[in-house]
Amino acid sequence: MVHTTKGIVLRTVKYGDTSIIATLYTELFGIQSYMVKGVRKSTRTSAGKAGYFQPAAILDMEVYHNEQKQLQFIKNFEWGYLYENLLFDVKKNAVSMYVIELLQHTLKQPEANPELFYLIEDTLKQLDKGSDTLSANLPLYFILHLGSELGFRMQGTYHRDTPILDLQEGVFMHEKPLHPYFLDGSQAEITSQLLALHFYNDLERIALNRHMRRELLEAYHSYLALHISDFGEMKSLSILQEVLS
């Protein structure tokens, strides 16, 4: 059957002389791999079509879907959203590549999760339009909300009675845990503020220096690794930290 769905490109590899295999996170089917034939041809009708499948591209697609197969096929595709800045701005592009690699490390199963798709789509669109402050704070916001969509949302808020955030249990608590995976002080307070945000524009109000962002990013990576098996090392993290510094 042919289905209409949106998709966000996560990874593309060349296949044969003219084709590609693209992995996308789709609105209807979750993470899927597609054979896209002929898009690397140098003919007039095919020129430039491979550019649709660069990481972070948002596409509207007609796809053939067979649950018994691991490799699907795309019938038609077009831009679902045309970026104005993300592909050309160094900082925004670094953040987008970080978000895409983060998804590669965290999305393990093909099940659909429309709310997660909308989170990813909205994050990339807001990044494209947002200010430098929003772009710099966006990775922190995205990690926390990604964890929520994957089923391990942090519980509670920062308060004088609960000033410690236990990353292993994912809860604000009164006393430090026996293990080393926790945040306290300003790091716990800022995390509580980020968790409470409902709109991307509110990220403008959170003023962080590069050292605090670096420490929080590393802590949030520990948080993901504690809850996702084989999370692995993020290659884009060092690039992101350098660009945002």
Side-chain angles (χ1 to χ4, degrees), residues 28-46:
L28 291 186
F29 307 111
I31 191 167
Q32 296 289 326
S33 293
Y34 294 95
M35 170 76 75
V36 192
K37 295 183 177 180
V39 292
R40 292 169 48 227
K41 290 181 179 178
S42 57
T43 62
R44 182 177 58 85
T45 57
S46 298

Side-chain angles (χ1 to χ4, degrees), residues 103-116:
L103 295 171
Q104 293 172 359
H105 282 249
T106 55
L107 300 178
K108 305 292 186 179
Q109 302 297 328
E111 285 81 6
N113 183 341
E115 292 303 318
L116 175 54

Side-chain angles (χ1 to χ4, degrees), residues 15-26:
Y15 183 83
D17 295 329
T18 62
S19 302
I20 60 172
I21 294 177
T23 301
L24 292 90
Y25 193 72
T26 68

Side-chain angles (χ1 to χ4, degrees), residues 68-93:
Q68 305 303 317
K69 296 183 178 180
Q70 293 185 336
L71 186 63
Q72 312 293 341
F73 291 88
I74 297 178
K75 180 180 180 182
N76 293 307
F77 58 87
E78 61 184 19
W79 295 117
Y81 177 81
L82 279 172
Y83 292 115
E84 297 178 11
N85 305 294
L86 185 146
L87 300 179
F88 315 105
D89 184 287
V90 173
K91 291 183 179 179
K92 293 177 183 292
N93 190 251

